[in-house]
Amino acid sequence: METEPTVNDELQKEGTLNAALATLHRDMLKFARLQLRDDATAEDAVQEALAAALSNQKSFGNRAQLKTWVFGILKNKIVDIIRERIRSPSASHSVEEISEQAYDDLFNENGFWQDDARPSSWGDPETSFSSQQFWQVFEICLTRLPETTARVFMMREMLGFETDEICKELAISSTNCWVVLHRARMGLRLCLSERWFKSESRDVEL
Amino acid sequence: MLNCKQAAALMSQGMDKELGMRQKMSLQMHLMMCSGCRNFRAQMEFLRQGCQKFSRKESK
């Protein structure tokens, strides 16, 4: 015997959908904030991405998972916003957030690794990819980089910008741009090494 | 001869642009002798992989 869906069933379905949408919204916002470092702009980007997704439902089809598809739209929005910033005259960005001497301690006076700073093997680091805790540490380490440094690094490594475009946005020379990227990598490497690969406690607290 | 500080800088630069022939050769020479820098290079590649996974992971 077929039963009509009860009001209760409907409510439950609606609750599940709402929860899924809330999670999606939260994840999108987190991602956009990390890239844009500006809450209002991040919220705008997410709203626009969701609106674009709703008005382009046809192009969704069944080709991708919903979240992957919506995140693709969001990434494009973020890239648009950053390109817009490139065109508009912006305040000068500090490229000296991490000083030239910041990592000098790692090397001796001849420029060779100090014994206690020489990079040791991380073993089989790819196994960490399946650990949720690892990704928490990864995000903490990204967040701990100074603002412009982190943004430059993520434009390069997550949004797929070429170095030239990044230099243009920040109105800095390509040498400076590359210096920022290098210091970001040094910082991220040290942070992951200390907080994850060498850490006994694998501390995820900030 | 490159020291480790210069080698690390070159390896990072190599992530963003093609290095010149001379740079590549002196880097290779250094890497042959320096396990610390070989580990550093592997870690740079791991960072790149991690970032790509991170931005995809957010999309799952």
Side-chain angles (χ1 to χ4, degrees), chain B residues 20-33:
Chain B
M21 194 53 110
R22 205 170 282 218
Q23 289 173 316
K24 276 187 199 166
M25 275 173 58
S26 41
L27 189 56
Q28 280 310 324
M29 289 280 285
H30 181 92
L31 286 172
M32 279 197 293
M33 300 177 310

Side-chain angles (χ1 to χ4, degrees), chain A residues 27 31 34 67-68 71 75 104 107 110-113 118-122 125-126 129 134-135 138 142 153 156-158 163 178 181-182 185-186 188-189 192 197, chain B residues 2-6 8-17 30 34-37 39-40 43-44 46-60:
Chain A
D27 290 351
F31 187 73
L34 203 57
K67 200 169 173 185
T68 311
F71 259 80
K75 275 190 203 172
D104 279 1
F107 304 97
N110 297 321
F112 292 93
W113 297 109
R118 185 175 298 118
S120 53
S121 171
W122 283 352
E126 283 84 3
F129 288 151
F134 168 76
W135 291 113
F138 195 82
L142 280 174
F153 180 73
R156 174 80 187 110
E157 299 291 348
M158 292 183 192
T163 318
W178 163 77
L181 285 168
H182 178 49
R185 291 189 179 111
M186 292 290 275
L188 196 55
R189 186 191 79 83
L192 284 179
F197 290 106
Chain B
L2 288 180
N3 62 32
C4 301
K5 197 176 175 181
Q6 295 163 327
L10 269 186
M11 285 187 273
S12 182
Q13 203 168 355
M15 309 287 288
D16 299 314
K17 65 168 196 187
H30 181 92
C34 180
S35 65
C37 284
N39 287 329
F40 182 89
Q43 290 163 8
M44 289 297 105
F46 175 80
L47 285 185
R48 171 151 292 172
Q49 228 188 326
C51 284
Q52 281 163 9
K53 283 225 192 307
F54 180 82
S55 57
R56 276 202 301 266
K57 192 179 94 60
E58 298 279 344
S59 345
K60 256 181 210 153

Side-chain angles (χ1 to χ4, degrees), chain A residues 137-151:
Chain A
V137 172
F138 195 82
E139 195 176 330
I140 288 170
C141 287
L142 280 174
T143 315
R144 276 165 48 106
L145 291 174
E147 183 173 330
T148 304
T149 303
R151 202 148 58 84

Side-chain angles (χ1 to χ4, degrees), chain A:
Chain A
M1 192 174 93
E2 255 180 55
T3 52
E4 290 284 309
T6 65
V7 177
N8 226 355
D9 286 343
E10 288 298 313
L11 277 178
Q12 208 170 5
K13 234 190 256 172
E14 206 181 296
T16 316
L17 183 64
N18 280 342
L21 286 175
T23 307
L24 180 65
H25 183 258
R26 190 199 61 207
D27 290 351
M28 288 171 82
L29 203 53
K30 201 167 78 173
F31 187 73
R33 276 190 186 138
L34 203 57
Q35 310 291 328
L36 296 166
R37 299 267 175 140
D38 175 66
D39 288 359
T41 316
E43 181 67 56
D44 286 350
V46 170
Q47 294 300 335
E48 282 178 37
L50 286 172
L54 286 172
S55 63
N56 281 301
Q57 289 178 50
K58 264 189 206 151
S59 73
F60 172 51
N62 284 320
R63 281 177 293 122
Q65 281 191 304
L66 176 68
K67 200 169 173 185
T68 311
W69 181 65
V70 177
F71 259 80
I73 298 174
L74 178 61
K75 275 190 203 172
N76 288 335
K77 286 281 167 208
I78 293 173
V79 170
D80 285 348
I81 291 168
I82 292 173
R83 282 189 207 284
E84 196 58 45
R85 283 181 183 166
I86 295 174
R87 281 191 290 270
S88 62
S90 59
S92 72
H93 298 270
S94 168
V95 295
E96 280 290 333
E97 290 175 326
I98 300 179
S99 79
E100 193 184 340
Q101 293 83 31
Y103 304 113
D104 279 1
D105 284 357
L106 302 178
F107 304 97
N108 66 22
E109 68 276 13
N110 297 321
F112 292 93
W113 297 109
Q114 300 278 16
D115 283 342
D116 57 355
R118 185 175 298 118
S120 53
S121 171
W122 283 352
D124 187 8
E126 283 84 3
T127 54
S128 294
F129 288 151
S130 54
S131 157
Q132 212 172 350
Q133 240 186 336
F134 168 76
W135 291 113
Q136 270 173 284
V137 172
F138 195 82
E139 195 176 330
I140 288 170
C141 287
L142 280 174
T143 315
R144 276 165 48 106
L145 291 174
E147 183 173 330
T148 304
T149 303
R151 202 148 58 84
V152 167
F153 180 73
M154 286 190 286
M155 282 170 80
R156 174 80 187 110
E157 299 291 348
M158 292 183 192
L159 299 173
F161 276 83
E162 288 300 324
T163 318
D164 289 350
E165 287 178 287
I166 303 172
C167 309
K168 245 195 247 166
E169 192 213 359
L170 300 178
I172 53 179
S173 72
S174 52
T175 308
N176 276 338
C177 195
W178 163 77
V179 163
V180 173
L181 285 168
H182 178 49
R183 292 179 193 163
R185 291 189 179 111
M186 292 290 275
L188 196 55
R189 186 191 79 83
L190 268 184
C191 182
L192 284 179
S193 181
E194 280 160 17
R195 285 177 166 251
W196 184 257
F197 290 106
K198 281 197 218 157
S199 166
E200 300 275 312
S201 59
R202 303 211 149 168
D203 195 357
V204 290
E205 277 166 46
L206 267 172

